[in-house]
Amino acid sequence: MRAGIIPVKELISDAIAMVSTMFPKIRMRRLRQPGIRNLVAETQLSPDDLICPIFVDETIENSVEIGSMPGQYRVPLDAVADEAKEIKDLGIPAIILFGIPETKDEGAMSAYDDDGVIQQAVRSIRSGTDGLVIVTDVCLCEYTTHGHCGIVDYARETVLNDPTLPILGKVAVSHARAGADIVAPSGMMDGMVRAIRTALDIDGFTDTPIMSYSAKYCSCFYGPFREAADSGYAFGDRGGYQMDPANSDEALREVELDIAEGADIVMVKPAIPYLDILYRIKTAYQMPTAAYQVSGEYAMIEATAAMGWLDRDQAIYESLLSIKRAGADMILTYFAKDAARMLREDFGASTTTI
Ligand code: PBG
């Protein structure tokens, strides 16, 4: 037989096999009928998947709405416990705290002050709300005058990696001392997980997990957050430490290093524009994996919904479901409270199908 020529008998049996696995025997729409579609749904969203951010502001007496994130507020210290309780009562298992301190300086001293804004907030939530997991964001940008995530060398206009590490260790320990359940370093310094793990262990916090913002991209989608957390930076950008959006293999290396340094949970951020990264990371490492649906993702949905251009609830549901389907075990989202309310009303399942 000459190469490249397929015997007629084989061709016919292939054709028969193909036809028998095709229309009209197979109709994919059979399983899309009401009720049945819920049985075969591969991804379920639950309030248990959600982590709700709270911005706590030491400088205010009453809650202030964040202009760039309509529906989101900075809350004063004495309201934070009530806010946390409301979140817990909605069935959301965890919060993540961001602080706006009274004072900022070059060395971010207020970030590791035992009476700092986060430390006070954690204590006040801890005393009032049992069973809520308190995650704290460990970063310097809200506490430095220049707004960068580490110690700055002004002459070289750069953020210094190694001098930042012991400070991050101190911040994490002070959060753990106040009662934080999980610390979440977000500054993208090399070696930050190792530095924090070492500092926590020396202080006896061997059981405090680290959720590392492992693959955090240098993204314009953080724009609205910077107004929320008052963490705009004085010069440069964060491209020297946050990841280049062009890269994907590099995200795997970041995650691998964080796992080796002792990260318990790894994170991808932002979420929707980086679902390919999330999928690769979950597939490669099978680690508990978080995704952060960031301020810009929130603002996009809010703004388009406000224009009447898309259905807000559907957009929230579909975006969160997609993040989960791509591989997230947990999602940090400003929609957490709305999503928990929707899910209680069985939102996804009750979608009418025709
Ligand atoms: C701080 C931090 C940022 C976000 C979370 N932690 C801002 C930044 O890195 O510039 C962004 C969160 C959001 O946009 O919702 N390092």
Side-chain angles (χ1 to χ4, degrees), residues 10-57:
E10 252 177 56
L11 271 181
I12 292 173
S13 67
D14 268 8
I16 291 171
M18 221 193 277
V19 165
S20 68
T21 57
M22 277 170 62
F23 180 82
K25 195 167 164 194
I26 306 292
R27 289 176 184 271
M28 297 304 281
R29 290 183 56 182
R30 285 188 198 119
L31 299 182
R32 292 183 192 143
Q33 298 173 76
I36 301 175
R37 66 193 262 128
N38 297 338
L39 275 178
V40 299
E42 296 170 43
T43 310
Q44 258 84 33
L45 200 58
S46 141
D48 267 330
D49 305 324
L50 306 174
I51 301 175
C52 187
I54 301 180
F55 296 104
V56 49
D57 187 340

Side-chain angles (χ1 to χ4, degrees), residues 212-229:
S212 179
Y213 289 63
S214 305
K216 178 173 177 180
Y217 283 84
C218 185
S219 170
C220 72
F221 291 105
Y222 308 148
F225 175 93
R226 298 198 177 131
E227 177 185 336

Side-chain angles (χ1 to χ4, degrees), residues 21-193:
T21 57
M22 277 170 62
F23 180 82
K25 195 167 164 194
I26 306 292
R27 289 176 184 271
M28 297 304 281
R29 290 183 56 182
R30 285 188 198 119
L31 299 182
R32 292 183 192 143
Q33 298 173 76
I36 301 175
R37 66 193 262 128
N38 297 338
L39 275 178
V40 299
E42 296 170 43
T43 310
Q44 258 84 33
L45 200 58
S46 141
D48 267 330
D49 305 324
L50 306 174
I51 301 175
C52 187
I54 301 180
F55 296 104
V56 49
D57 187 340
E58 202 176 8
T59 70
I60 56 175
E61 313 247 291
N62 299 301
S63 290
V64 177
E65 191 169 16
I66 300 160
S68 52
M69 299 173 72
Q72 298 297 313
Y73 295 82
R74 297 177 177 202
V75 299
L77 263 170
D78 61 11
V80 77
D82 286 346
E83 175 66 19
K85 188 168 182 315
E86 190 189 326
I87 292 166
K88 163 108 196 321
D89 290 345
L90 283 165
I92 298 166
I95 55 168
I96 180 161
L97 292 173
F98 295 97
I100 294 104
E102 192 116 47
T103 57
K104 303 188 185 215
D105 59 48
E106 301 276 304
M109 273 163 60
S110 56
Y112 52 86
D113 179 348
D114 281 336
D115 270 321
V117 55
I118 292 297
Q119 293 78 355
Q120 290 188 61
V122 170
R123 284 196 294 270
S124 111
I125 296 166
R126 187 78 312 151
S127 62
T129 314
D130 264 355
L132 180 68
V133 175
I134 305 175
V135 186
T136 55
D137 186 78
V138 174
C139 195
L140 307 188
C141 60
E142 291 119 76
Y143 305 88
T144 51
T145 34
H146 46 69
H148 277 291
C149 302
I151 299 302
V152 161
D153 177 340
Y154 282 97
R156 289 166 50 215
E157 285 215 343
T158 187
V159 173
L160 299 172
N161 194 87
D162 300 11
T164 302
L165 298 179
I167 305 177
L168 293 176
K170 280 202 235 179
V171 175
V173 167
S174 78
H175 289 179
R177 240 186 245 142
D181 297 296
I182 299 179
V183 292
S186 65
M188 287 297 280
M189 296 297 128
D190 287 322
M192 68 182 183
V193 172

